[in-house]
Amino acid sequence: MPVPLVAVTPEPLDLPALMSAISGMGTGDGAVTSFVGLVREQNLGRRVSFLEYEAYEPLAIKALGRIVDEAGSEWPDTRLGLHHRTGRLELGEASIIIVAGSPHRAHAFAACRYAIERVKQIVPIWKHEHFEGGDVWLEGATADPDDTEARQKAYRIACA
């Protein structure tokens, strides 16, 4: 079964499978880059116990696909894949994986960085952080996907 380029899933994320899917899509790659977001033990001075992610899956898939398309417009020689996890995640587990393949390392790095910035801006996935002594909802997407200024900000960060 082929690995989809975008996915929102409660299942553990499989970086080698997504890397294989991206690197197997084209020839002449000079670079395949990846980003793995992990559940960390400390945040804002609190000891994290675990995270829960919730998503409106149909819209999240659409937003992830939009990010793939945007990256393809900026770096036409680059292929991108993004998978995000939902549900309860323990410390050290991957919440997101991003893979970019390109003939040029600079394009692969930039597309990967651009993708994580845009995920934070436009993908309807919400993080519920549980820590010693309480819990709080964090980091919901707030930008309008059509907001050119937000997109340019992500591009500037990616290409800094």
Side-chain angles (χ1 to χ4, degrees):
M1 171 178 276
V3 175
L5 292 183
V6 298
V8 175
T9 178
E11 300 302 319
L13 302 178
D14 188 345
L15 182 61
L18 186 56
M19 288 185 79
S20 179
I22 291 294
S23 64
M25 290 176 66
T27 59
D29 280 344
V32 175
T33 64
S34 64
F35 171 81
V36 179
L38 303 174
V39 177
R40 62 181 178 246
E41 184 177 350
Q42 295 286 324
N43 187 39
L44 301 173
R46 299 182 295 241
R47 186 180 183 308
V48 175
S49 302
F50 64 94
L51 298 179
E52 290 177 301
Y53 284 93
E54 291 186 12
Y56 179 60
E57 188 174 341
L59 193 53
I61 293 289
K62 183 177 177 181
L64 292 173
R66 179 185 182 123
I67 294 167
V68 168
D69 293 344
E70 289 174 359
S73 293
E74 294 293 336
W75 303 279
D77 61 353
T78 303
R79 293 163 324 285
L80 189 65
L82 300 97
H83 291 185
H84 203 295
R85 182 103 180 260
T86 57
R88 182 179 169 136
L89 281 75
E90 303 299 330
L91 299 177
E93 288 190 286
S95 59
I96 186 168
I97 57 175
I98 302 170
V99 176
S102 174
H104 308 286
R105 70 179 177 270
H107 293 183
F109 277 118
C112 206
R113 179 67 192 264
Y114 176 82
I116 190 61
E117 297 303 328
R118 286 298 274 167
V119 165
K120 296 287 188 177
Q121 288 179 340
I122 69 169
V123 180
I125 296 176
W126 302 276
K127 180 167 49 173
H128 190 187
E129 182 180 273
H130 296 263
F131 52 88
E132 292 177 352
D135 63 280
V136 66
W137 285 94
L138 300 170
E139 299 180 8
T142 58
D144 175 351
D146 293 324
D147 181 348
T148 304
E149 188 174 319
R151 183 174 175 192
Q152 289 172 346
K153 180 180 178 185
Y155 180 80
R156 283 191 306 275
I157 292 169
C159 295

